[in-house]
Amino acid sequence: MSIDAMAGDASGLQVHQFRSLDDNYGYLIRDRETGACAAVDTPSADDIVEALASTGWQLDFIFNTHHHEDHTGGNLELKAATGCKIIGPRADAERIPGIDIAVGEGDVVSLGRLRARVLDTPGHTRGHIVYVFDADDAIFTGDTLFSMGCGRLFEGTPAQMWDSLQKLMPLPAQTRVYCAHEYTQKNGRFALGLEPNNRHLLARMSEVDQLCSLDMPTVPSTMGLERLTNPFLRPDSPELQASLGLAGAALVDVLAETRRRRNEF
Ligand code: ZN
Ligand code: FE
C-alpha cells in the first residue's frame, strides 16, 4: 500500500509516503537535484526496502524523530543493508539504535541541497525532535503533532507539550504536516465533541470521512488547517473551553484537560 505525494515543482523536496505497521506512515524524502535520500523514521525495515525498490531511490540517511520502536525499529537493519547515516535527537541519543549524528534545537540538517531546521519538541518523549523544511513548506512532526491531535504524554508534562506545539504554530499556513500516524478520523470525532460548531472542523471531517471510506490517507494536513481544527492548538477557543468547563482558564490547563479526555476517548 503506497502512495506518492510529490511536492510542487517549485520545491526540490520529493516525498514518498506509505503506510506501515498498523497505522504508521513511513516517508522517504529526497532532494530532486542531488538524489540525496532519507527515511523519516523506520517503522519497518521491510516496508522501507520495498519503498526504496519501488522509487529506485538510494538511502543515505535516517532522520529519527524519537526513540519508540515504531519509529526506530528498522534502524539497524537498514544501516547494515545500505550504510546510511542515522540522525536523531541528542537528548535521547542513547535510545536511538545506531545513531551517528545527534541533533537538537537550532541545528540544521542537510539533505543534498535541502535544509531542515531541528526543533526540540519534548512531551510525547523527553527527546522528541521535528524536522522543518522551511523553503519547501513541509514539516515532519513524528508523534508530536498529528492531524487534529497530538502525541500522548508518555515522558513529558502538559506544559512541555504546550511549549512544543507553540513552536510549530507560527509556521506558514501552507506548510504540509507529515505526521507519523493515521489517527485523523478518531482525533476529529473527539475534536467535534469539544467544538461542535467549528465550521472548519465540520468541513474537514466530512472530507476525512470520505477519504477514510475510500481507504485513502488524510495526511499530509497543513498548518493552516491544523490551527483551525486541532483542539491541541486551540486551547484559546471559547467553545472548547466551555465544553471542558474551563472558560477563561490558563491555556496550559485547557491543553492538559483536553489531553486527559482524549486518553479516555
Ligand atoms: Zn511514539
Ligand atoms: Fe508512534
Side-chain angles (χ1 to χ4, degrees):
M1 189 151 42
S2 169
I3 62 140
D4 271 299
M6 306 295 274
D9 284 345
S11 169
L13 175 67
Q14 295 175 286
V15 181
H16 177 74
Q17 174 177 344
F18 51 95
R19 294 210 179 153
S20 192
L21 307 180
D22 287 339
D23 51 31
N24 282 74
Y25 281 115
Y27 298 105
L28 291 181
I29 60 176
R30 183 176 182 265
D31 173 23
R32 194 188 301 273
E33 296 266 344
T34 64
C37 172
V40 181
D41 286 332
T42 61
S44 151
D46 286 351
D47 290 350
I48 290 167
V49 166
E50 187 185 314
L52 289 165
S54 74
T55 54
W57 298 353
Q58 289 191 338
L59 194 66
D60 300 300
F61 297 99
I62 291 167
F63 292 176
N64 284 130
T65 62
H66 67 295
H67 73 87
H68 284 156
E69 171 75 16
D70 63 313
H71 300 259
T72 59
N75 276 20
L76 295 179
E77 191 178 331
L78 288 164
K79 187 175 181 175
T82 66
C84 68
K85 293 263 184 262
I86 299 178
I87 295 174
R90 184 176 296 127
D92 249 337
E94 75 284 359
R95 294 196 286 182
I96 305 293
I99 191 167
D100 295 296
I101 303 165
V103 297
E105 185 91 11
D107 287 330
V108 174
V109 171
S110 294
L111 181 66
R113 295 188 179 186
L114 308 178
R115 301 283 178 270
R117 265 189 308 133
V118 175
L119 299 177
D120 285 329
T121 59
H124 178 66
T125 61
R126 72 165 189 242
H128 199 296
I129 58 175
V130 301
Y131 297 89
V132 188
F133 290 82
D134 291 292
D136 300 279
D137 287 328
I139 180 169
F140 293 84
T141 59
D143 289 358
T144 292
L145 178 69
F146 295 125
S147 180
M148 298 191 275
C150 77
R152 278 180 190 258
L153 301 177
F154 288 119
E155 301 175 9
T157 63
Q160 283 177 317
M161 181 57 93
W162 179 227
D163 282 348
S164 295
L165 294 174
Q166 283 180 280
K167 291 182 188 178
L168 310 186
M169 282 171 66
L171 290 170
Q174 71 272 16
T175 306
R176 284 164 290 135
V177 178
Y178 293 98
C179 59
H181 290 273
E182 180 59 67
Y183 292 157
T184 309
Q185 192 174 39
K186 186 166 181 185
N187 284 339
R189 285 178 184 149
F190 172 74
L192 268 179
L194 298 180
E195 290 192 287
N197 298 305
N198 178 338
R199 64 190 167 87
H200 302 288
L201 186 52
L202 289 161
R204 171 71 170 147
M205 271 311 277
S206 67
E207 185 188 1
V208 163
D209 288 342
Q210 170 89 6
L211 288 168
C212 290
S213 72
L214 299 170
D215 200 27
M216 288 173 65
T218 66
V219 174
S221 176
T222 65
M223 277 310 302
L225 207 43
E226 291 309 309
R227 279 194 289 269
L228 292 170
T229 60
N230 188 324
F232 297 95
L233 302 184
R234 300 176 54 76
D236 59 345
S237 153
E239 185 181 25
L240 183 144
Q241 291 184 358
S243 294
L244 295 171
L246 288 174
L251 299 186
V252 66
D253 294 335
V254 177
L255 179 103
E257 179 63 9
T258 306
R259 186 59 259 180
R260 194 187 67 72
R261 293 203 189 192
R262 177 64 180 82
N263 291 349
E264 293 165 1
F265 181 70

